[in-house]
Amino acid sequence: MRRLPRNVVSDLLVLSLLSLLGIIGYETSFGDLNFLVAAIAGLVVGTLVAVAGSMWRLGVVTTVLVAIAAYFLLGTPFTMPEQGIAVVLPSLASLAGLAYGAVFGWADIVTIGTPVEAPYYVAALPYFAAWLVSLVGTMLAIRWLPKRRTALRASVLVVGPALLYLSGILLGTDEPYFAGVRGVAFAVIALVWIAWHRGTTVEASGEGAKRLRRQKVTGTAAVVAGAVAIGALAGVAFAPVSPDRFVLRDEVVPPFDPLEFPSPLSGFRKYTKDLAEETLFTVRGLEPGDTLRLATMDSYTGRLWNVAGPEDAGSDAGYGIVGESLPKPGLADLGSKRDLEIEIGAYSDVWLPTVGYGSTLRLDDADSAARAGDLRYNPDAGTAVLTSGIGEGTRYELTANVQREPDTEALLDVPVADLTLPIVENSPDVADAKAQELAGDAASPIEQLRAIEKALKTNGFLSHGLASDEVASRAGHGADRITELFTRSQMVGDAEQYAAAMALMARDLGYPARVVMGFAPEVAEGQDEVEVVGDDVTAWVEVAFDGVGWVAFHPTPDQVDVPKEETPKPKSEPQPQVRQPPRAEHTEDELLATVEIDDSDDDDKDKPFQIPGWVWVALGSIAIPAALVFLPMLAAATVKAARRRRRRSGPNDRQAAAAWEELVDRYAELGFEPPSHATRLQSATVLERQIAEQGLAQSMIGPDAADGPVPLTALAATIDRDVFDGSAVADEVVTRRWTEADAATAAVTAAVGRARRFISRYRIRRRR
């Protein structure tokens, strides 16, 4: 066993310090410094194994294998102790987490909402990063650098800690963690260490050694002073402000797409009609006046309000994976705290009822706790989703703070917030006109909004469209329903229509408004447990004010006695009497003699045969509808045939890919909705889900499972291999792919029914 030279030990200390400065940048992702336990453990394990390999004279390969074994055997207590056996010993779950975190943790950390606490293996990421950098750096410092201690070789060893520093920036948030202090410290230490290696290969003694040492000290001091000065100036001049910092999590679209689920507001009447007296869930910890949030919707298409999809930049579409700790909202003035316990009853959906803006959320029951990785949270909307769904028996605890509600007078001089929300599409013109009318001469935004809220609440009438209601009230909140709300002699509707209408009016005035659907149960003072029933469902409007947050407006009226419209009966007007003529003994027809007149021309006997006019009428009555029906069908069939011929030409790999394109187009023409700009596997997954939701899967299989077509996901994966594996695609492979695609298309065509098959003959999908 050999000992390490003193200069090698100092090199290892410098590299460890640089690595520690770099990996501290992960604090912005994890929210605190608890991850440093795993990071320091990785540094220690990687360094000690590399040192032991050198002292025991092990080869490079052997040292790496020992390091891998140490990584798995020693990592459990520092990364996921709750998964270990007696905290310290590794289990199958912890071993799998260490491997999974090292490979997939890099992608997970940029899609999970901060602070990162889930999935359970995420702490393996800093452990693995520090372990890898320290292992490689220590082996180079012991085995490679002493052979020729130059500044260039020392610079190579700094690459590992520099990568850790860079990863802390890219994987973090737009709020840096002591960027100036860490950056200057890292640069000074690295430059001093590199500069100190300059000239170490020059042999000198006596006065020469002293002079060389003085030159190194002087040169190093000059380099450090210049670096600090230039770095400070450059930092002031070029350092980006927080919103402009480039971090990967801002460039990666969260995996959850709210548009995969129906709009919560579209099911509003389900609660008032079918679940009015059913206990949806039980809540402990509510205070009087609290409302439960279910979903926040800021996108309108002319048919409904919905939660904006992730492609709508600037919208509240940031649903990210979270652990128990929830990220803070970007715009909110938080007030009193709530500690809630919620137990689900008859409620069944993916949206979790919450209050205010949460700080922690813990799933208590075993079933949902096992699916904690499906939890998504949007801090700006204050709403949570369990993508795999919740149902009876689901229990969770929520700690939250409610938004302070300032008085109208306090907001008179406060402008609305400058936010980018999705564009409202197909808003009815009557909403804009009504907004201008109801806002009147009010000067400030809050006065205009309160005027609209008051007008709707006092002039409208409440009706859920039940049989017991005096006046019928149609469900929905599309453009036609909003137009009907404002054009009828009386405004009649419920919270669905009034909230949707006011949000449109606010957006027409240029204010950032959204619709919130939730529940408003009656809570008595001191009441510990509240049962929320379907009749407690409601919806309201929120508008963002600068520096204040989202202020709530409740435009739904309380009046239910709609005045009946009375239509007066027309008055009868007396008519003047007219003397009738005397009755005749014979009718006029009886006074006329019957005379047969033959006015045919003898010349017609010599004319050729002519088609009677009734035949032309009959042919026209058949041919014109037939042309209207079949000519567009023929034109569509011609275009589709040309499209298919075009796809069956070209290189074989392109033909194999075109088989999938043809399949997707045919599915779209049958009424399915394949996603745009998606991979084949993503499209296949979406189409298979739609097939299952429409109850067509069993019809496509047949009496024997072997009779069914190739599953779409399997076909998509096969075509991906044909296209991307780099080998030539044979002609028979192309034929087989087209045959499989045609079989999948034929199966779903037979399953969808005659009406959809007939309509599909007119459709030609335009690829986006």
Side-chain angles (χ1 to χ4, degrees), residues 27-94:
E27 192 276 344
T28 59
S29 293
F30 288 90
D32 52 38
L33 296 176
N34 290 338
F35 74 96
L36 276 182
V37 175
I40 293 174
L43 283 173
V44 172
V45 171
T47 301
L48 291 182
V49 170
V51 170
S54 174
M55 296 178 65
W56 295 337
R57 302 180 184 277
L58 301 178
V60 174
V61 175
T62 305
T63 303
V64 171
L65 293 177
V66 173
I68 293 174
Y71 169 84
F72 284 101
L73 292 176
L74 304 177
T76 297
F78 305 107
T79 57
M80 49 197 87
E82 66 280 358
Q83 304 293 331
I85 301 174
V87 177
V88 178
L89 299 178
S91 64
L92 290 178
S94 67

Side-chain angles (χ1 to χ4, degrees), residues 320-407:
I321 303 174
V322 293
E324 290 187 11
S325 297
L326 304 179
K328 297 179 180 179
L331 178 65
D333 183 15
L334 300 181
S336 56
K337 182 181 178 182
R338 301 287 188 273
D339 292 313
L340 305 176
E341 297 179 12
I342 301 174
E343 182 173 356
I344 303 299
Y347 175 78
S348 177
D349 207 336
V350 298
W351 303 93
L352 275 69
T354 59
V355 173
Y357 297 91
S359 56
T360 63
L361 193 156
R362 185 177 68 188
L363 299 168
D364 287 340
D365 64 291
D367 178 58
S368 58
R371 297 178 283 119
D374 297 335
L375 183 64
R376 307 289 190 273
Y377 184 73
N378 184 340
D380 293 324
T383 52
V385 178
L386 192 67
T387 57
S388 52
I390 61 175
E392 186 174 1
T394 299
R395 300 190 314 278
Y396 56 96
E397 299 178 14
L398 174 69
T399 301
N401 292 83
V402 296
Q403 165 75 34
R404 289 191 179 95
E405 291 290 341
D407 296 334

